[in-house]
Amino acid sequence: MASALPLQNILSCPAHVLPDIVQTPIDVSQKPYKAPTRILIIGAGVFGLSTALSLSQRPEFAQTTITILDRSPETGVFPSRDASSIDSSRIIRPDYADPSYAKLASEAQARWRETEIGRDGRYTESGFILAADAGPLMREDGSPTGIAYAKKSWVNAMALAQAEGRPLSSVRLMAGAKRLARVTGVGEFADWGYLNDASGWADAEASMGWFYEQVIETGRVTFVNGTVESLETNEAERKVTGARLKDGSTISADLVITAAGAWTPTLIDLSSQAIATGQVLGYIDLTEEEQKKLEDIPVILNLTTGFFVIPPRNRVLKVARHAFGYLNPKTPSQAPLGIPGSEKSTVKPISQPFTHIDDPSLSIPEEGERSLREGLRRLIPWPELQERPFSRTRLCWYTDTATGDWIIDYHPYWQGLFVATGGSGHAFKFLPIIGDKVVDCIMGHCPIEFQQKWKWKAVDDIEKAIVTQDGSRGGEPGLILEDEFKRVSKDK
Ligand SMILES: Cc1cc2nc3c(=O)[nH]c(=O)nc-3n(C[C@H](O)[C@H](O)[C@H](O)COP(=O)(O)OP(=O)(O)OC[C@H]3O[C@@H](n4cnc5c(N)ncnc54)[C@H](O)[C@@H]3O)c2cc1C
């Protein structure tokens, strides 16, 4: 992701010379906007639900009917329990290497901190350590490493503290593994890092539940359980006219907003832009005493390895790996909607989510479990936790783009089709505001600093482009889920 300052300047940047990340360019375009009569949103995760709330609150859409569809198999449960927006926790941090996301996250963070969404235990400002292992600032391919990301982020975090009137001491540099271990009271988990007191974590499932209730209360949005099989089109007019569901029914709409997370590439050809990658999580049960010892630690993330832990709640500790993830290429029964005549609209394998809803006995590959175990041992090297089994593991799916930027834009060919996806493992924190940004983009007022980042992009070299190279990922790129599962059976 781009930064306002070249890296070499940032790394030698004294604390009082901070990048200006608080200037918002003003969008002066005032085009009149005519709202569609019927809007259909596919997916009730962070992108879909937040968009539904924002649409229901805008006067321009007062006469528009809004329907939101989700493949959730449980009636009245939105989103589906295997959506990436549903979990025990998500990190809420404005700690980004990219100043535009840092500023946007800070706007979202203010809502978590100051408004109802963050109450009743849904948001906890535990502090957050962003750390990395020592090493070069660039990978061989020229992309940034974890340490480069962390150092840029530190500068941006200080700039935000200054702009928001917080003391600079709320962002404390912690050079050295021993210092990091001493301050956190855990192991020597990284070589360099900083603690941002103004970051924390959210109970993701509870927050989504609260948000869903807010949308219901508007009385403006119809929720439908159903799985979209394909988008309906009028080819002569190059228009998307609605969606066909697996049960054979159709829902017509003048505007379809596709916010289907990691499933989006199975509906729309995004092969040049976004891909589903499976990420591993493990939960470990603690004793009351262990809970007490760990409950006040900050959230900790090492960007070189990708490992992170969230302070435990109810005697459960979560450890996870923010990684390149697993690919799960499968040939779909039909091609996703592409541009007619283009080679890309033919049926070919697409990486698709595979979750505990597809197979309730699903575990994670041995590679992932071993790696989580190593991460846990380094982060919390207590003898009593060394061999304690994970009480539960989970595969959770990112919708990854090459730069980690989202895709919030109209389809370049089909009218009446808008895409809001590409969360790339970091969109949850934006739940309180992302819908407003999506609706701004629908109305033609995409924030200027995001116009290039969020736009529909065509990338020629698919294989190369689709690894998220923003410096935030650990693990190995290109692992294939099925191969990793097979490796276990062979080893056993
Ligand atoms: C392990 C993990 C850790 C993460 N950690 C963080 C973090 O710490 N901080 C942070 O900010 N972000 C984090 N993220 C990222 C964040 O959770 C996601 O970016 C965000 O939740 C994505 O929301 P979404 O709406 O795109 O997708 P989802 O939440 O997956 O929602 C998509 C919905 O679309 C529905 N759907 C799909 N296909 C169809 C269809 N054909 N018909 C009908 N409905 C359909 C699905 O059922 C689903 O409910 C993490 C993600 C994961 C997986």
Side-chain angles (χ1 to χ4, degrees), residues 152-409:
K152 281 185 187 176
S153 176
W154 168 56
V155 176
N156 290 335
M158 286 194 295
L160 281 171
Q162 191 175 55
E164 292 165 8
R166 280 180 285 114
L168 282 183
S169 59
S170 64
V171 182
R172 286 193 296 284
L173 179 62
M174 294 182 182
K178 292 212 179 327
R179 170 122 202 265
L180 277 165
R182 202 171 51 247
V183 172
T184 51
V186 296
E188 295 183 12
F189 59 87
D191 299 323
W192 186 97
Y194 71 90
L195 170 66
N196 188 348
D197 287 339
S199 299
W201 62 280
D203 179 332
E205 185 162 0
S207 304
M208 289 299 288
W210 181 87
F211 211 91
Y212 171 59
E213 290 302 325
Q214 303 309 298
V215 180
I216 294 277
E217 268 176 33
T218 66
R220 290 283 323 281
V221 180
T222 305
F223 282 83
V224 178
N225 287 93
T227 302
V228 175
E229 191 158 62
S230 60
L231 296 172
E232 294 273 280
T233 57
N234 174 332
E235 300 211 356
E237 292 183 23
R238 286 173 53 168
K239 248 189 187 167
V240 165
T241 56
R244 175 173 293 277
L245 275 58
K246 276 223 162 100
D247 65 7
S249 62
T250 54
I251 299 182
S252 302
D254 307 295
L255 178 65
V256 173
I257 302 171
T258 311
W263 292 265
T264 310
T266 58
L267 294 175
I268 301 174
D269 187 346
L270 290 177
S271 56
S272 55
Q273 300 181 76
I275 197 162
T277 66
Q279 308 287 331
V280 290
L281 312 175
Y283 306 84
I284 203 156
D285 290 341
L286 301 178
T287 64
E288 198 61 57
E289 200 188 330
E290 289 161 353
Q291 161 82 28
K292 284 220 169 67
K293 269 162 75 181
L294 288 175
E295 67 193 1
D296 293 327
I297 62 167
V299 174
I300 298 171
L301 167 61
N302 177 331
L303 287 173
T304 308
T305 59
F307 290 116
F308 62 97
V309 285
I310 310 262
R313 183 170 280 176
N314 299 330
R315 297 194 289 108
V316 178
L317 178 72
K318 172 173 133 181
V319 54
R321 183 179 66 175
H322 179 57
F324 295 108
Y326 304 114
L327 303 175
N328 184 36
K330 297 277 167 219
T331 305
S333 50
Q334 61 186 90
L337 183 66
I339 298 174
S342 99
E343 195 199 318
K344 289 177 186 154
S345 58
T346 54
V347 187
K348 59 184 178 190
I350 299 170
S351 181
Q352 300 183 34
F354 189 64
T355 74
H356 60 271
I357 290 195
D358 301 306
D359 174 2
S361 69
L362 182 70
S363 57
I364 58 174
E366 160 82 16
E367 182 276 338
E369 187 154 349
R370 207 176 335 107
S371 165
L372 285 182
R373 177 64 59 189
E374 279 161 22
L376 180 65
R377 283 182 183 148
R378 190 169 172 207
L379 279 158
I380 306 172
W382 300 349
E384 59 273 33
L385 290 188
Q386 298 288 303
E387 303 301 330
R388 190 175 303 169
F390 291 109
S391 52
R392 189 161 70 88
T393 56
R394 182 178 166 195
L395 260 183
C396 188
W397 292 82
Y398 287 176
T399 321
D400 272 337
T401 65
T403 53
D405 292 311
W406 309 323
I407 307 168
I408 303 182
D409 200 0

Side-chain angles (χ1 to χ4, degrees), residues 42-48 69-72 79-80 82-87 89-92 96 226-229 259-264 266-267 279-281 308 310 318 320 396-399 420-430:
I42 304 172
V46 161
F47 280 92
L69 246 177
D70 199 286
R71 56 179 259 296
S72 169
S80 175
D82 60 354
S84 40
S85 306
I86 297 293
D87 193 11
S89 51
R90 289 284 180 262
I91 305 171
I92 308 294
Y96 274 84
T227 302
V228 175
E229 191 158 62
W263 292 265
T264 310
T266 58
L267 294 175
Q279 308 287 331
V280 290
L281 312 175
F308 62 97
I310 310 262
K318 172 173 133 181
C396 188
W397 292 82
Y398 287 176
T399 321
T421 191
S424 302
H426 69 98
F428 186 88
K429 64 186 70 61
F430 300 92

Side-chain angles (χ1 to χ4, degrees), residues 98-153:
D98 181 324
S100 309
Y101 284 98
K103 178 173 157 277
L104 192 69
S106 162
E107 189 184 330
Q109 185 111 18
R111 301 275 194 97
W112 286 104
R113 187 181 297 129
E114 291 156 22
T115 70
E116 195 60 32
I117 188 170
R119 309 241 157 91
D120 299 327
R122 289 185 287 269
Y123 172 65
T124 307
E125 203 150 279
S126 56
F128 170 60
I129 292 201
L130 190 64
D133 292 343
L137 298 169
M138 259 191 243
R139 297 177 198 261
E140 270 173 20
D141 62 6
S143 65
T145 56
I147 189 79
Y149 186 115
K151 291 193 172 183
K152 281 185 187 176
S153 176

